[in-house]
Amino acid sequence: MKPTNPFNLFYFFFFTVLAVLEFPVSAFHDSPYSRSSSIVFATLGRSSYHFDIYSLPLWVAPASSNELRLTDGVSVNFNGYFPSPSSVSMLFRAPDWTPADVSPPPLHFVYVTERNGNSHVFLDSLYYRGREHTGSRAILEEDPSEPTRSELTRFQFPLVGLEESDGRVSMKDKPTLVGEYLIYVSTHENPGVPRTSWTAVYSTHLKTRSTRRLTPYGVADFSPAVSPSGVWTAVASYGEKGWGGEVEELGTDIYLFLTRDGSSRVKVVEHGGWPSWADDSTFYFHRRCEDGWWSVFKASILKNRKLGVDSVVTERVTPPGFHVFTPAASTSNESFIAVATRRPDSAFRHIELFDVVSKQFVELTRPVSPNVHHLNPFISPDSSRVGYHKCRGSSNGHKSTNLILENLKNPLSEKITLFRIDGNFPSFSPDGSRIAFVEFPGVYVVNSDGSGLRKVFERTAFSTAWDWKRKGVVYTSAGPTFASESTDVDIISINVDDENLSYKQLTRGGKNNAFPSASPDGKWVVFRSGRSGHKNLYIMDALEGETGGLSRLTEGPWSDTMCNWSPDGEWIAFASDRENPGSGSFELFMVHPNGTGLHKLIQSGSGGRTNHPWFSPDSKYVVFTSDYAGVSAEPISNPHHYQPYGDIFVIKSDGSGIRRLTHNSYEDGTPTWGSTYMKDDDVERPNGGTTCSFEDCHWLNISPNSSSLYSAPQC
């Protein structure tokens, strides 16, 4: 029953920030690079996420009137966890106005948030009290536990916990509060091996701030879950074999270790991920089966047996016919689990309850928001609520304006600002005042302060670059992306300052001519072309195109692509698979414009990818995207990314001093480096943009009976 007497939900806002991170801002202070500048890059879909943590009560019919938005609508909030009240009470004192016997009790939850340009872990506590509270117990109606959204009032209290220092950056994920300890994933330690995941599980004592690594060095762990007693932690892990380049299901097994120090580590399940404990001898996990469906499994640890794979009995508990994954077990009611599902009759991911005894499903979120993705459920300790995250949209007064430029913390230097753009293939004008970028379809130009956004080309295009001498001239590749050598793609130049937005076609024949980059003297453009049957580099006249002069820069039965001409005119950087043609593995190379001096700049281990190089304004550094840091989370726990890896890195042009700029589990790419220092503030899209427009993992749409079936071990 709804209360007739209105209530306020007072928002007692604690949060703990964990920042044992990679390297200090001063790392670049003693380097030759000290000019103020800005780096801008793209992340597929990220600008429209707008995730908040929500919750529904269990055991009542799902309805929008009893769905609570728990987080505050700031930035992106996800991967929540309900800690036990005893764990919270060990750390914080309740507000002075809260009676000891308050009903309903406060709701505590831990989650990841990406506000203020970095990844953090917050602990929030929500308390109920009457609108006219006088210090005594609030007068409550029969059912005060479900206030409507219009009755929510939030107050934010000062920060509690570790402060970040020295501008350090890392990704955090899957936090769990256990007494005075926070168990979580972080990427702050570089393993020192290319194409190796930086993710590891850590334990921080929140009162003393001491942090212990629980994952062995040389190993990456994902998706930690702590047993109800706190004794054991389960993780998805490759062990010592490492990441093999998977982009859908990671090739992980389930390991256990002691939460106190990471000791007694042992593999207990082969092939699995996302563990969740029901009790200290039972946990659930997911895997993709031989029949193609993602399913949830139950793992039972046998007593009086040496812990290992042979001492754990697994059984598939969810049926084929639709995808079921990211399980959340209940520790106080072992008859059910919460799961995410993708059913054949829906294009959206939803949260459901699954009764492990009767084998029946109960849909929770689909009746409330049928056309919204809901991700990664978690259950309260008393089994009264289920939490999850979803895009908050713009209904009910929620603010969900897309950021055209999102400022991120840059670990390199205070003089270099770092931004994520709501678009693709950005490039700066020579004076740094404007940015060109593409959407699909169209090419756009915006001022570097986010104003003046306008469309300058209607058709599908990719990659952008400005002419150094002719003001307002932007080069782009008109045609489809990721196409064969013979695909109809040509380079054009657009005069974005022309009232009629005139453009000129510079290449002929449409043999996948793409990735133009102009020489600093304004005379030439380097580009890639498939006209020989292979994608190699060519140089043509900047004004007249290939009819005004054309020369071949590279030649061979491989792909040379994504070229960028250094501002000092000395070098052209590009990505190439020449060392293993057709493998999908790309390294970065450099060559003089006259074809001499060819050498490798960087590669990402064996079979890795380093792409989209772009020189710094002084030509002494190169920014690029790479899988150098492997993957940082199970791909199925996120929306769709074509490649669930790709962070932005910077390296000196002599191939030394590689530094990681971004830390997340998304697909960061197509960076550019401009000569202007952009003010380190977020900039909203003038028209708000399209919110919640991201897609679910494409490989969840594949029919399990199709010929493209994934080959997985027997389930």
Side-chain angles (χ1 to χ4, degrees):
M1 175 186 300
K2 277 190 180 181
T4 56
N5 197 20
F7 292 88
N8 291 337
L9 181 60
F10 271 62
Y11 190 67
F12 192 57
F13 188 14
F14 302 102
F15 52 93
T16 302
V17 184
L18 301 171
V20 188
L21 304 170
E22 182 190 357
F23 50 85
V25 169
S26 59
F28 263 40
H29 284 181
D30 57 356
S31 71
Y33 193 83
S34 59
R35 291 172 52 186
S36 297
S37 60
S38 297
I39 294 172
V40 175
F41 67 95
T43 305
L44 178 68
R46 168 61 175 74
S47 297
S48 65
Y49 281 4
H50 302 286
F51 288 147
D52 264 322
I53 306 288
Y54 288 76
S55 177
L56 280 169
L58 300 177
W59 321 123
V60 296
S64 59
S65 60
N66 56 32
E67 183 185 53
L68 286 181
R69 184 175 64 138
L70 302 182
T71 46
D72 57 2
V74 177
S75 189
V76 174
N77 310 295
F78 58 98
N79 284 357
Y81 169 80
F82 289 123
S84 66
S86 60
S87 290
V88 178
S89 64
M90 295 175 68
L91 296 171
F92 304 113
R93 183 172 61 89
D96 293 337
W97 51 260
T98 306
D101 59 346
V102 64
S103 178
L107 184 63
H108 309 287
F109 58 100
V110 179
Y111 61 100
V112 180
T113 183
E114 292 185 348
R115 62 193 70 197
N116 302 319
N118 202 355
S119 176
H120 312 273
V121 175
F122 281 16
L123 166 65
D124 289 9
S125 297
L126 304 180
Y127 292 83
Y128 300 87
R129 69 172 183 172
R131 193 180 294 273
E132 300 297 331
H133 176 73
T134 60
S136 61
R137 181 179 179 181
I139 302 174
L140 305 180
E141 294 295 324
E142 292 180 17
D143 184 9
S145 61
E146 302 304 330
T148 64
R149 282 184 288 268
S150 62
E151 295 167 342
L152 302 182
T153 303
R154 284 175 166 79
F155 294 90
Q156 295 188 341
F157 282 68
L159 302 181
V160 177
L162 283 173
E163 298 279 355
E164 291 183 289
S165 60
D166 293 331
R168 294 176 175 178
V169 177
S170 74
M171 187 199 85
K172 313 295 190 309
D173 199 16
K174 289 284 288 179
T176 302
L177 189 61
V178 183
E180 297 179 351
Y181 291 86
L182 191 66
I183 312 301
Y184 60 101
V185 164
S186 179
T187 61
H188 67 265
E189 287 188 296
N190 181 354
V193 180
R195 208 168 185 241
T196 299
S197 297
W198 295 27
T199 53
V201 176
Y202 295 84
S203 171
T204 293
H205 187 250
L206 296 175
K207 289 188 175 181
T208 65
R209 314 295 188 262
S210 62
T211 296
R212 176 194 292 268
R213 180 180 173 121
L214 302 180
T215 300
Y217 286 96
V219 172
D221 286 340
F222 308 90
S223 311
V226 181
S227 67
S229 69
V231 173
W232 292 102
T233 293
V235 294
S237 180
Y238 293 109
E240 296 181 354
K241 65 184 179 183
W243 178 53
E246 304 95 315
V247 298
E248 297 179 8
E249 184 188 24
L250 301 185
T252 56
D253 303 317
I254 306 295
Y255 287 75
L256 303 186
F257 54 75
L258 292 176
T259 306
R260 67 172 184 266
D261 58 8
S263 64
S264 301
R265 183 183 178 98
V266 60
K267 183 197 296 186
V268 294
V269 172
E270 293 182 341
H271 183 203
W274 205 267
S276 179
W277 295 86
D279 56 48
D280 269 41
S281 61
T282 307
F283 62 87
Y284 293 85
F285 64 94
H286 65 208
R287 70 163 62 134
R288 185 158 58 174
C289 297
E290 193 175 56
D291 57 19
W293 299 109
W294 284 80
S295 291
V296 171
F297 287 71
K298 180 181 179 180
S300 302
I301 302 174
L302 301 177
K303 295 181 179 180
N304 303 317
R305 297 278 294 273
K306 182 180 180 181
L307 193 59
V309 172
D310 294 336
S311 67
V312 175
V313 177
T314 64
E315 60 174 313
R316 186 177 186 175
V317 296
T318 59
F322 57 99
H323 296 300
V324 186
F325 46 92
T326 56
S330 168
T331 58
S332 60
N333 187 339
E334 296 186 24
S335 66
F336 73 92
I337 58 176
V339 294
T341 65
R342 272 295 303 276
R343 292 180 174 268
D345 62 346
S346 175
F348 294 90
R349 182 185 303 204
H350 283 290
I351 306 304
E352 304 187 30
L353 284 187
F354 177 68
D355 190 312
V356 298
V357 178
S358 68
K359 308 298 183 183
Q360 298 297 309
F361 286 89
V362 177
E363 294 185 329
L364 296 178
T365 60
R366 194 172 180 178
V368 177
S369 304
N371 298 322
V372 176
H373 295 297
H374 301 74
L375 294 86
N376 304 353
F378 55 104
I379 295 176
S380 62
D382 62 0
S383 299
S384 66
R385 306 194 69 88
V386 63
Y388 47 87
H389 62 270
K390 70 174 185 178
C391 183
R392 55 184 168 267
S394 56
S395 61
N396 302 300
H398 299 169
K399 185 177 180 180
S400 295
T401 300
N402 279 12
L403 298 176
I404 191 168
L405 290 167
E406 180 186 5
N407 180 238
L408 304 181
K409 297 287 187 182
N410 188 345
L412 298 188
S413 170
E414 295 172 346
K415 295 185 177 182
I416 306 172
T417 49
L418 180 64
F419 287 87
R420 173 184 288 123
I421 192 167
D422 186 15
N424 298 279
F425 297 99
S427 65
F428 282 95
S429 61
D431 64 359
S433 64
R434 292 185 285 184
I435 302 171
F437 64 95
V438 304
E439 293 185 354
F440 299 112
V443 178
Y444 292 76
V445 171
V446 66
N447 295 330
S448 58
D449 64 1
S451 65
L453 175 65
R454 60 195 180 100
K455 197 173 190 177
V456 298
F457 187 66
E458 294 286 342
R459 291 160 47 195
T460 297
F462 63 98
S463 78
T464 65
W466 295 74
D467 190 279
W468 288 86
K469 298 298 183 181
R470 291 183 293 153
K471 185 178 179 182
V473 172
V474 173
Y475 302 95
T476 191
S477 316
T481 61
F482 301 109
S484 67
E485 285 80 357
S486 60
T487 304
D488 191 10
V489 180
D490 275 303
I491 292 169
I492 63 172
S493 61
I494 309 168
N495 187 342
V496 301
D497 292 336
D498 180 16
E499 184 177 346
N500 298 320
L501 295 174
S502 59
Y503 68 88
K504 182 175 183 178
Q505 184 172 328
L506 300 180
T507 57
R508 304 295 171 184
K511 299 296 184 181
N512 209 328
N513 303 296
F515 293 104
S517 180
S519 62
D521 62 7
K523 296 180 179 180
W524 307 100
V525 171
V526 63
F527 66 102
R528 77 107 195 270
S529 177
R531 62 188 64 202
S532 70
H534 302 284
K535 294 175 182 177
N536 293 150
L537 302 186
Y538 296 78
I539 295 176
M540 66 178 170
D541 183 86
L543 184 61
E544 299 298 330
E546 63 179 80
T547 61
L550 178 70
S551 62
R552 189 166 185 169
L553 181 61
T554 66
E555 182 174 357
W558 50 68
S559 291
D560 296 332
T561 186
M562 306 172 192
C563 42
N564 182 249
W565 209 313
S566 66
D568 64 7
E570 289 296 314
W571 292 99
I572 292 170
F574 62 97
S576 178
D577 69 351
R578 59 178 53 213
E579 293 193 345
N580 193 0
S583 66
S585 175
F586 282 80
E587 297 86 31
L588 295 189
F589 290 82
M590 292 174 61
V591 64
H592 288 303
N594 64 5
T596 64
L598 176 69
H599 65 278
K600 186 190 297 185
L601 178 67
I602 181 71
Q603 75 176 67
S604 179
S606 175
R609 294 189 176 189
T610 51
N611 291 325
H612 299 290
W614 201 285
F615 282 97
S616 62
D618 64 0
S619 302
K620 294 179 179 178
Y621 292 86
V622 175
V623 62
F624 61 98
T625 182
S626 179
D627 64 358
Y628 196 89
V631 292
S632 296
E634 293 191 49
I636 201 169
S637 67
N638 280 325
H640 176 68
H641 289 272
Y642 291 99
Q643 300 165 157
Y645 55 81
D647 289 286
I648 306 301
F649 292 81
V650 165
I651 194 170
K652 292 181 181 179
S653 56
D654 64 5
S656 65
I658 186 171
R659 292 287 188 269
R660 183 177 180 178
L661 268 66
T662 62
H663 291 249
N664 56 59
S665 56
Y666 314 134
E667 181 183 352
D668 296 337
T670 64
T672 186
W673 202 329
S675 59
T676 297
Y677 180 89
M678 296 164 58
K679 187 177 179 181
D680 54 352
D681 289 329
D682 294 339
V683 180
E684 295 183 353
R685 264 191 179 269
N687 60 359
T690 304
T691 61
C692 307
S693 60
F694 57 88
E695 299 175 326
D696 202 4
C697 301
H698 285 186
W699 31 271
L700 290 178
N701 300 330
I702 299 174
S703 170
N705 295 319
S706 71
S707 59
S708 58
L709 242 185
Y710 169 80
S711 178
Q714 180 66 42
C715 291

